[in-house]
Amino acid sequence: MDSVILDLQEKLKKGELTPEILINETLGNSKVVQDNFNPFVTICDNVSISDSDSILSGIPYVAKDNLSTKDILSTGSSNTLKDYVPFFDATVIERLKKKGAVLVGKSAMDELGLGGTGTTCHTGVTLNPWDKSRITGGSSSGSACLVASGVVPFALGSDTGDSIRKPAAFCGIVGYKPSYGAISRFGLFPFASSLDHVGVLTRTVKDAAIVVDNVVGIDENDMTSIDLKPNLSESLTNDIKGKKLFYIENMLDLSKYEESDELKKIFTEFNKTVEIARSLGALVEGVTIDQNLLNAIFPIYQCISCAEATSNDSNLTGIIFGPRGEGDNYIEMIKDHRTKGFCSLIKRRFIIGSYVLQKENQEKYFLNAKRVRRLLVNKFNELFETYDALIMPASGSIAPKLEEINEVINGAGTMNEVLENYMAIGNFGGYPSITIPNGFVNSMPIGINLTGKVMDDANVLNIAYTLESNMEYRNQIAKEVK
Amino acid sequence: MSKFTKEMIDNYANKLLIGLTDEENEIVLNEFETIEGRMNLINEIDGLSDVEPMHYPYIIESTPRSGHIIKNDSVEDLLKNSDKVSDREIEVPKVVG
């Protein structure tokens, strides 16, 4: 079975399952999983099921809590928005509603999307359903947990650096970020507007294609939306003969890393998948990229994302929405609201944004970061003229233990830092990028990532689908749940 | 010795109307040498002065929206997430005079 959604739909059509039973089961499972892993901000107890002939009709799903949902709490997992209830739906929510998909909850995330661990949600840490002592990754932590634990067949997420694709790897599922603008961002709480993407987490590539097919298209409320045609699920041919893939050779040289048995195993699994691709007729070869450019990936991400976040989140004042701060004047009130409302990590990220935006630093840091972004994108655009996709491990580690999480910044410019953050290239260039499961290391799931040319989503998804079809990790449910 | 000081960090935070505890200030202060080192990796790339900054992933051709009437959001909806409302307005402390 290559699609959980199609399987459920068939059961609904045959009468083996009714939408009411499916939703009630989902809500029951939601509560059990919430008690164990804490992935929800809100469980929607009172859902309405509408009739539609869409493939998504009656299918339950979860949305990340930074997507606006009419009359449903939408907090961005921040105390600054802990009681915020939007009066409109994000376009992606509205489109799913029209297709009859049933929103059963809002998932926890790193506060306002500015983290990568799933540990900074105002409702607490989200635990990994494969091993409760480990993180899910983030920022789409709750969405990843709920798909991996089998509660829902799909969940919406957002991705500014790798916030869909990294937790997908750590939770053994599929995480797909389509081309920039393919899914409207109207109603998404912005983090870094030039990097933000809406995407989907599923347990099969086909389900990712099905969901995205149903939500793409121009949205006049989002001037950056693009006209990606909804033909992804029809493009999954299971044939990659003649496709050309590349990996970044200088990032896969073990001698450049601190010695790690775990990393060695991750590279071994990656190499096995490369051999599968070759056995299916694809050409896979290594390409060397200027190390200075690679070393700049994370600094660019940090510089641009923190600067844009500083601006985007300046509307969190507690005046128009959010809990009102205390003070004798509006400045004091806003400062009190923001000081009490943001977690320590967010404050530190904002200060980086403030620093690079200082008049004396703008040219040296902020604008130069944007210049190197262009050089990187030019380089990858050039490679995508020759190759169909980049194939790489999605991470250099399995999901870390909770006690290993240390958000304090240190160790700039190491190869580990490059490997852990290179997927931001997908955001710099707006490329379609998908992580799929690639086996296990030390009993925890790992992933590979495929990234391709802008608007070439169908090609990238077909490569992912074909590899998935020739491995054994499709539709995995996490072992702590089983 | 670090070129950053507690006062500089507080100044960066204050410009964003964010207050820091002493502990938070110390963490940021300790991080800032690394952050600056990291940012300097950007400047190790040659020939940047000739490169146009990239503000968005790619150029998106946008056309003007079609002209049609849309319903305004209701005042009641706009006010319902504010903690302090007076009639049809959001209440704030006196700003001038």
Side-chain angles (χ1 to χ4, degrees):
Chain A
M1 181 192 56
D2 63 357
S3 165
V4 182
I5 291 171
L6 288 179
D7 187 51
L8 285 171
Q9 206 52 257
E10 196 178 321
K11 285 178 180 158
L12 289 168
K13 276 185 186 147
K14 284 182 179 167
E16 294 169 21
L17 191 62
T18 66
E20 290 74 17
I21 289 173
L22 175 59
I23 298 305
N24 283 336
E25 273 182 7
T26 303
L27 290 172
N29 292 338
S30 296
K31 284 161 190 164
V32 173
V33 168
Q34 174 63 9
D35 288 344
N36 281 289
F37 308 107
N38 197 33
F40 279 106
V41 175
T42 302
I43 297 175
C44 303
D45 280 317
N46 297 311
V47 298
S48 57
I49 301 167
S50 61
D51 204 17
S52 155
D53 58 3
S54 155
I55 199 169
L56 294 177
S57 181
I59 303 295
Y61 80 101
V62 161
K64 190 172 176 177
D65 211 31
N66 57 355
L67 285 161
S68 301
T69 44
K70 185 175 168 29
D71 299 330
I72 298 172
L73 191 67
S74 301
T75 69
S77 285
S78 176
N79 276 317
T80 58
L81 292 167
K82 66 185 178 66
D83 301 315
Y84 175 64
V85 180
F87 53 87
F88 68 100
D89 280 324
T91 297
V92 64
I93 300 288
E94 187 182 73
R95 288 181 178 174
L96 286 170
K97 201 179 266 182
K98 279 183 185 157
K99 301 284 182 177
V102 182
L103 180 70
V104 295
K106 299 296 293 294
S107 58
M109 52 184 282
D110 280 297
E111 184 174 357
L112 300 169
L114 275 79
T117 58
T119 62
T120 62
C121 172
H122 75 312
T123 51
V125 176
T126 303
L127 305 177
N128 192 309
W130 291 92
D131 177 349
K132 287 167 74 169
S133 70
R134 296 179 184 274
I135 65 164
T136 53
S139 61
S140 305
S141 50
S143 289
C145 174
L146 287 158
V147 172
S149 57
V151 173
V152 284
F154 77 93
L156 296 176
S158 64
D159 189 315
T160 305
D162 58 19
S163 282
I164 286 174
R165 295 161 290 158
K166 185 65 77 65
F170 286 169
C171 291
I173 57 173
V174 173
Y176 168 42
K177 172 194 87 57
S179 292
Y180 182 80
I183 300 177
S184 166
R185 295 176 301 158
F186 179 69
L188 171 73
F189 300 177
F191 163 12
S193 306
S194 79
L195 303 168
D196 289 343
H197 295 61
V198 176
V200 65
L201 299 101
T202 60
R203 291 195 299 280
T204 76
V205 174
K206 189 166 205 168
D207 283 342
I210 289 170
V211 176
V212 173
D213 273 345
N214 278 277
V215 295
V216 290
I218 295 282
D219 174 15
E220 69 171 25
N221 287 321
D222 178 358
M223 65 175 287
T224 61
S225 60
I226 59 169
D227 193 16
L228 184 76
K229 301 296 180 200
N231 63 351
L232 300 176
S233 47
E234 291 164 17
S235 309
L236 307 179
T237 62
N238 211 1
D239 179 8
I240 57 169
K241 195 178 272 184
K243 297 291 179 191
K244 293 176 80 174
L245 309 178
F246 73 101
Y247 54 84
I248 304 171
E249 202 157 23
N250 40 327
M251 280 177 62
L252 295 177
D253 179 353
L254 267 175
S255 69
K256 292 185 176 172
Y257 295 85
E258 286 173 31
E259 195 171 324
S260 159
D261 187 50
E262 188 176 290
L263 183 63
K264 196 172 169 184
K265 288 177 182 171
I266 287 170
F267 283 2
T268 301
E269 294 305 310
F270 171 76
N271 288 331
K272 283 184 198 167
T273 304
V274 165
E275 287 312 312
I276 290 172
R278 286 178 176 141
S279 73
L280 295 168
L283 172 77
V284 190
E285 54 191 20
V287 165
T288 299
I289 293 178
D290 178 357
Q291 192 64 45
N292 283 338
L293 273 181
L294 296 175
N295 289 345
I297 292 171
F298 189 51
I300 295 168
Y301 170 73
Q302 198 168 44
C303 186
I304 295 175
S305 68
C306 291
E308 291 188 13
T310 300
S311 170
N312 279 330
D313 289 321
S314 61
N315 66 343
L316 300 177
T317 61
I319 303 285
I320 297 170
F321 41 73
R324 184 65 69 95
E326 293 172 4
D328 292 334
N329 57 57
Y330 76 97
I331 296 283
E332 286 178 13
M333 286 164 56
I334 293 172
K335 190 167 178 180
D336 184 59
H337 165 80
R338 291 165 69 84
T339 299
K340 289 176 181 165
F342 296 134
C343 75
S344 181
L345 176 73
I346 300 293
K347 290 183 194 175
R348 281 149 47 205
R349 295 274 177 103
F350 284 154
I351 291 167
I352 296 172
S354 177
Y355 174 64
V356 299
L357 289 174
Q358 298 295 305
K359 193 177 173 190
E360 65 274 19
N361 292 335
Q362 277 193 29
E363 180 69 30
K364 184 169 62 164
Y365 295 138
F366 188 51
L367 290 176
N368 275 352
K370 291 182 173 208
R371 291 185 176 101
V372 186
R373 175 183 183 175
R374 182 176 296 281
L375 293 178
L376 268 161
V377 170
N378 286 349
K379 178 68 191 171
F380 278 85
N381 284 347
E382 182 191 311
L383 286 163
F384 290 139
E385 289 303 311
T386 305
Y387 297 97
D388 294 279
L390 165 70
I391 182 169
M392 287 289 288
S395 171
S397 74
I398 58 173
K401 293 262 188 190
L402 281 166
E403 65 264 23
E404 292 168 359
I405 296 304
N406 177 7
E407 294 279 10
V408 176
I409 294 167
N410 52 35
T414 65
M415 200 54 149
N416 291 77
E417 186 177 271
V418 175
L419 183 57
E420 284 313 313
N421 296 287
Y422 81 91
M423 286 197 290
I425 290 166
N427 305 74
F428 296 166
Y431 304 127
S433 186
I434 184 168
T435 292
I436 62 171
N438 190 41
F440 293 85
V441 165
N442 299 340
S443 304
M444 285 299 291
I446 57 168
I448 52 163
N449 180 263
L450 291 149
T451 298
K453 188 161 60 175
V454 168
M455 296 287 271
D456 201 22
D457 293 58
N459 192 18
V460 174
L461 257 64
N462 180 48
I463 296 166
Y465 176 78
T466 307
L467 292 176
E468 178 197 55
S469 302
N470 286 276
M471 297 193 286
E472 298 167 353
Y473 316 119
R474 179 183 270 162
N475 192 18
Q476 300 182 131
I477 306 280
K479 70 179 180 198
E480 289 262 13
V481 183
K482 290 172 190 167
Chain B
M1 189 178 153
S2 172
K3 74 173 194 184
F4 298 100
T5 64
K6 180 179 184 301
E7 289 70 29
M8 287 166 78
I9 302 299
D10 277 335
N11 179 41
Y12 299 146
N14 201 42
K15 283 179 175 170
L16 305 177
L17 298 183
I18 291 172
L20 296 177
T21 63
D22 286 345
E23 188 189 0
E24 285 169 340
N25 189 303
E26 193 180 333
I27 293 172
V28 179
L29 198 53
N30 289 335
E31 286 178 337
F32 249 67
E33 287 294 323
T34 307
I35 290 166
E36 203 188 31
R38 189 176 275 170
M39 294 302 164
N40 282 332
L41 292 173
I42 293 168
N43 294 313
E44 286 182 11
I45 313 290
D46 292 332
L48 287 187
S49 56
D50 300 331
V51 182
E52 183 71 17
M54 184 176 213
H55 303 293
Y56 276 89
Y58 45 85
I59 295 168
I60 294 171
E61 302 275 340
S62 55
T63 51
R65 299 180 194 191
S66 54
H68 57 83
I69 297 166
I70 56 168
K71 188 173 152 281
N72 282 338
D73 300 318
S74 76
V75 172
E76 290 72 25
D77 279 341
L78 292 170
L79 294 177
K80 71 180 182 184
N81 278 295
S82 179
D83 273 0
K84 288 194 179 172
V85 171
S86 177
D87 294 328
R88 287 162 58 87
E89 287 156 357
I90 289 170
E91 199 178 314
V92 290
K94 202 171 183 180
V95 177
V96 287

